[in-house]
């Protein structure tokens, strides 16, 4: 039995900053961050994204510079997403299999510039298809699972051969983790990790991301036929269990803050490294609130990121990664 007031005053350990630091249950460091970057064609290119204030698309020289920045800030990993040119977007997304596509070029640029920074690559067809879906689509608009999976496996192998450290299938096709794992093993890429987008919800928070990769306005229909219904939680646990059984090393919940309950349940059930993606809409809301004078940007950034750690995350993909790392080093 514990003491009661006044022998017990819970505020005692909160009074001084040194004491708050000493008894903190969770600590946020730059090592908890993964920095998503958008890749563009050309040289010397920086294309600001209007719906993601402070975020740009970068050509290879800019990607290399960001990699050196990440290394200096202590950010351990970069996640890459391409803005594929219009003329390379096809119904079957075949540019995803090009060993010289934007993602493969960017992986090599990062490895040349900052070899100690990890590279995570997204496996899905939506940045490469003219219809904006994550997979192949039949004449009725249905996204085909098994036929798409064959292409995802090839895409993952191309990325691993380019030097990717983490393959992150985000497509939500059934069975793709097992197929990718088997192909990586057979191809000699035994130490390439798989971070499965295991619980990826059909969310309204993805809008600015679609601007960043050039897919807004292309999407025919929506993605609710393969991404998760935000009404469901038990289903998320089944998705995670399947991906872990198939060979995923780590799992991701996406989006982030609206799904802290899912993060906590996954962590408690499976006791594996869980990551969250603080998605573009979440980032944009913080930026909009700060710009409108409705909150302190720095405080909002650090508080939301620490919430992920408190919920059970090993790390967070966030567009605020570099800014947050600078705040932690201040």
């Amino acid at each position: 039995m514990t003491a009661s007031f006044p022998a017990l005053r819970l505020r005692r350990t909160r009074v001084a900053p040194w004491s708050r630091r000493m008894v903190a249950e969770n600590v946020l460091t730059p090592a908890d961050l993964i920095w998503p970057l958008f890749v563009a064609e050309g040289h010397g290119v920086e294309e600001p994204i209007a719906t993601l204030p402070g975020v740009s698309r970068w050509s290879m020289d800019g990607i290399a510079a960001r990699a050196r920045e990440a290394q200096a800030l202590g950010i351990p990993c970069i996640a890459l997403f391409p803005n594929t040119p219009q003329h390379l977007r096809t119904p079957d997304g075949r540019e995803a299999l090009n060993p010289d596509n934007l993602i493969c070029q960017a992986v090599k640029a990062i490895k040349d510039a900052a070899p100690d920074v990890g590279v995570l690559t997204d496996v899905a067809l939506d940045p490469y298809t003219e219809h904006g879906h994550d997979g192949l689509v039949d004449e009725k608009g249905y996204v085909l699972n098994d036929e798409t999976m064959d292409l995802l496996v090839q895409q993952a192998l191309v990325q691993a051969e380019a030097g990717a450290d983490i393959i992150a299938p985000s497509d939500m096709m059934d069975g793709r983790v097992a197929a990718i794992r088997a192909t990586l093993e057979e191809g000699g890429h035994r130490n390439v990790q798989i971070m499965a987008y295991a619980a990826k919800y059909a969310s309204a928070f993805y809008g600015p991301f679609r601007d960043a990769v050039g897919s807004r306005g292309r999407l025919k229909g929506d993605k609710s036929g393969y991404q998760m219904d935000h009404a469901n939680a038990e289903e998320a646990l089944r998705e995670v269990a399947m991906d872990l059984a198939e060979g995923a090393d780590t799992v991701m919940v996406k989006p982030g803050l609206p799904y802290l309950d899912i993060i906590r349940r996954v962590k408690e059930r499976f006791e594996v490294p869980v990551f969250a993606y603080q998605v573009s809409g979440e980032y944009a809301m913080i930026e909009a609130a700060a710009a409108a004078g409705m909150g302190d940007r720095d405080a909002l950034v650090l508080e939301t990121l620490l919430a992920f750690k408190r919920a059970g995350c090993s790390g967070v993909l966030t567009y605020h990664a570099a800014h947050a790392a600078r705040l932690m080093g201040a």
Side-chain angles (χ1 to χ4, degrees):
M1 189 155 179
T2 61
S4 58
F5 179 86
L8 178 65
R9 293 179 183 267
L10 291 177
R11 289 183 56 193
R12 287 192 191 111
T13 57
R14 301 178 200 154
V15 172
W18 65 263
S19 180
R20 292 195 295 272
R21 291 195 302 271
M22 188 172 68
V23 301
E25 297 173 22
N26 295 280
V27 177
L28 184 69
T29 76
D32 298 314
L33 307 176
I34 297 175
W35 190 6
L37 295 175
F38 297 104
V39 189
E41 278 193 314
H43 183 82
V45 173
E46 178 184 356
E47 299 173 346
I49 301 163
T51 51
L52 281 173
V55 177
S56 297
R57 304 181 195 93
W58 301 93
S59 53
M60 297 309 150
D61 50 322
I63 291 290
R66 303 290 78 71
R68 290 188 288 268
E69 183 180 357
Q71 184 170 269
L73 290 169
I75 297 170
C77 187
I78 286 171
L80 294 172
F81 302 91
N83 181 28
T84 303
Q86 167 64 28
H87 70 278
L88 295 175
R89 295 175 187 255
T90 58
D92 60 2
R94 70 177 71 98
E95 178 65 10
L97 310 185
N98 177 4
D100 195 40
N101 63 24
L102 288 176
I103 287 298
C104 294
Q105 290 181 47
V107 171
K108 293 168 185 173
I110 291 170
K111 289 304 178 182
D112 287 342
D116 293 332
V117 173
V119 182
L120 179 155
T121 52
D122 175 71
V123 172
L125 298 185
D126 54 322
Y128 307 96
T129 56
E130 61 184 24
H131 48 69
H133 278 289
D134 294 38
L136 301 176
V137 178
D138 67 13
E139 64 279 0
K140 296 181 180 179
Y142 176 74
V143 176
L144 301 165
N145 192 95
D146 296 12
E147 293 85 348
T148 294
M149 191 165 61
D150 292 340
L151 291 176
L152 298 176
V153 168
Q154 296 176 60
Q155 182 185 14
L157 184 59
V158 164
Q159 293 176 352
E161 290 175 344
D165 300 293
I166 303 175
I167 299 297
S170 66
D171 54 282
M172 291 299 287
M173 298 297 112
D174 291 334
R176 87 277 203 218
V177 172
I180 290 170
R181 172 58 71 204
T183 298
L184 292 176
E185 287 287 321
E186 292 166 5
H189 302 289
R190 297 180 180 87
N191 290 325
V192 172
Q193 300 177 38
I194 295 177
M195 180 187 293
Y197 285 63
K200 181 179 180 181
Y201 285 81
S203 173
F205 286 90
Y206 299 150
F209 176 91
R210 290 174 182 160
D211 290 333
V213 298
S215 64
R216 188 192 287 270
R218 300 179 191 278
L219 186 63
K220 308 299 189 294
D222 60 37
K223 301 189 178 187
S224 58
Y226 48 102
Q227 295 177 355
M228 282 192 56
D229 184 343
H230 51 258
N232 294 352
E234 295 294 334
E235 184 184 11
L237 301 181
R238 295 179 69 193
E239 288 279 5
V240 171
M242 174 181 281
D243 286 354
L244 290 171
E246 291 181 5
D249 301 287
T250 57
V251 294
M252 186 197 300
V253 175
K254 181 182 180 183
L257 283 179
Y259 297 89
L260 290 179
D261 62 316
I262 306 300
I263 294 167
R264 169 53 62 187
R265 291 183 68 173
V266 170
K267 185 65 177 181
E268 289 180 344
R269 173 74 64 89
F270 298 102
E271 299 180 329
V272 298
V274 181
F275 289 77
Y277 200 141
Q278 186 181 40
V279 299
S280 58
E282 298 175 68
Y283 171 93
M285 287 195 300
I286 290 174
E287 292 298 311
M294 295 179 182
D296 179 88
R297 180 179 184 238
D298 295 353
L300 289 169
V301 167
L302 293 180
E303 183 175 341
T304 53
L305 291 176
L306 190 58
F308 291 115
K309 291 296 298 292
R310 191 179 66 246
C313 279
S314 295
V316 186
L317 288 82
T318 175
Y319 304 101
H320 280 125
H323 179 63
R326 291 190 191 94
L327 292 176
M328 293 176 216

